[in-house]
Amino acid sequence: DSGVTQTPKHLITATGQRVTLRCSPRSGDLSVYWYQQSLDQGLQFLIQYYNGEERAKGNILERFSAQQFPDLHSELNLSSLELGDSALYFCASSPLKTSGRLDEQFFGPGTRLTVL
Amino acid sequence: KNQVEQSPQSLIILEGKNCTLQCNYTVSPFSNLRWYKQDTGRGPVSLTIMTFSENTKSNGRYTATLDADTKQSSLHITASQLSDSASYICVVFYGNNRLAFGKGNQVVVIP
């Protein structure tokens, strides 16, 4: 158990809908990262928040947005869902601001999103 | 072309045997390289983190090597166990807080 929690574990929805994925980082970790993992693309970095502020952006679509709240939990909002958005969405947390340094990233169990 | 290439894409090995997974990358400037183990349906778990000056790092039966000059890394699994069946992902941190992922090596250990 990494100490990172994600809800829900599974989510099934229809195209065009909007969903919210939730992540609670390890106690004391200030950074939260969101990743998308699909079968053909592997892990893709979406976005990072540090202490409530956006820190780095990866391959995140405009239909997707995220935020980190004062209690440090984070939410990833996915809207106008398409079939291709079906994937595992992972959240990871770390104590430090910069992932390029030797900080450990601890991954949550993931949310499996299926868009029908 | 992917910035991080892993090979083989998948392999099957007998329990107790050794295997070596390869990771070649093209990104720069290099910061560090990490190997993660991901069990099916679970989040990745870090095995090793290697910086430019480190050639070898071990974590139990896992040994990672790094040649920053040729931009190559390997992960060697010794005396494989059934629990080693997983995807092994190579991640390279580079530049200003940027990272590149390989697609993973899928390892299946059979009794």
Side-chain angles (χ1 to χ4, degrees):
Chain A
D1 184 2
S2 65
V4 178
T5 60
Q6 289 186 249
T7 56
K9 193 168 184 178
H10 301 279
L11 196 50
I12 301 174
T13 188
T15 55
Q17 295 297 307
R18 171 190 169 94
V19 298
T20 298
L21 313 183
R22 182 188 169 100
C23 167
S24 293
R26 293 187 324 151
S27 176
D29 284 357
L30 299 178
S31 270
V32 170
Y33 305 79
W34 285 99
Y35 297 90
Q36 179 192 57
Q37 187 177 41
S38 57
L39 280 174
D40 58 341
Q41 290 291 325
L43 268 171
Q44 300 276 325
F45 167 63
L46 296 178
I47 196 165
Q48 178 204 357
Y49 276 81
Y50 175 80
N51 204 20
E53 294 187 2
E54 183 182 303
R55 178 74 181 94
K57 229 173 190 178
N59 302 322
I60 188 166
L61 300 172
E62 286 191 10
R63 300 183 285 108
F64 297 179
S65 65
Q67 54 184 328
Q68 185 179 29
F69 295 87
D71 67 352
L72 300 178
H73 91 270
S74 178
E75 291 181 356
L76 179 67
N77 300 297
L78 315 176
S79 61
S80 302
L81 284 168
E82 302 174 359
L83 296 177
D85 297 327
S86 296
L88 268 169
Y89 290 85
F90 287 104
C91 163
S93 76
S94 75
L96 299 180
K97 187 176 187 179
T98 306
S99 63
R101 296 175 60 188
L102 295 181
D103 62 309
E104 186 71 56
Q105 283 193 28
F106 295 86
F107 283 78
T111 293
R112 181 173 293 281
L113 173 66
T114 302
V115 182
L116 302 175
Chain B
K1 185 174 168 62
N2 290 334
Q3 295 173 316
V4 179
E5 294 277 359
Q6 291 188 242
S7 62
Q9 185 175 7
S10 61
L11 76 160
I12 300 172
I13 59 173
L14 288 174
E15 186 178 12
K17 298 296 186 183
N18 304 335
C19 71
T20 300
L21 313 175
Q22 299 290 341
C23 171
N24 297 338
Y25 60 93
T26 60
V27 296
S28 66
F30 177 84
S31 175
N32 62 83
L33 183 146
R34 309 176 186 208
W35 282 94
Y36 286 88
K37 178 188 178 189
Q38 185 177 20
D39 293 320
T40 302
R42 309 285 295 270
V45 174
S46 178
L47 294 176
T48 63
I49 302 175
M50 302 182 72
T51 61
F52 185 88
S53 59
E54 294 176 300
N55 299 118
T56 303
K57 183 168 276 190
S58 291
N59 178 358
R61 293 179 298 100
Y62 300 102
T63 299
T65 67
L66 173 66
D67 185 335
D69 292 330
T70 62
K71 298 186 177 181
Q72 296 179 326
S73 176
S74 68
L75 181 69
H76 186 75
I77 306 175
T78 303
S80 61
Q81 301 177 358
L82 298 178
S83 59
D84 293 330
S85 295
S87 177
Y88 293 85
I89 303 170
C90 175
V91 184
V92 182
F93 287 73
Y94 68 102
N96 182 19
N97 202 36
R98 303 187 69 181
L99 58 166
F101 290 87
K103 291 190 177 182
N105 305 99
Q106 187 66 44
V107 174
V108 176
V109 181
I110 58 175

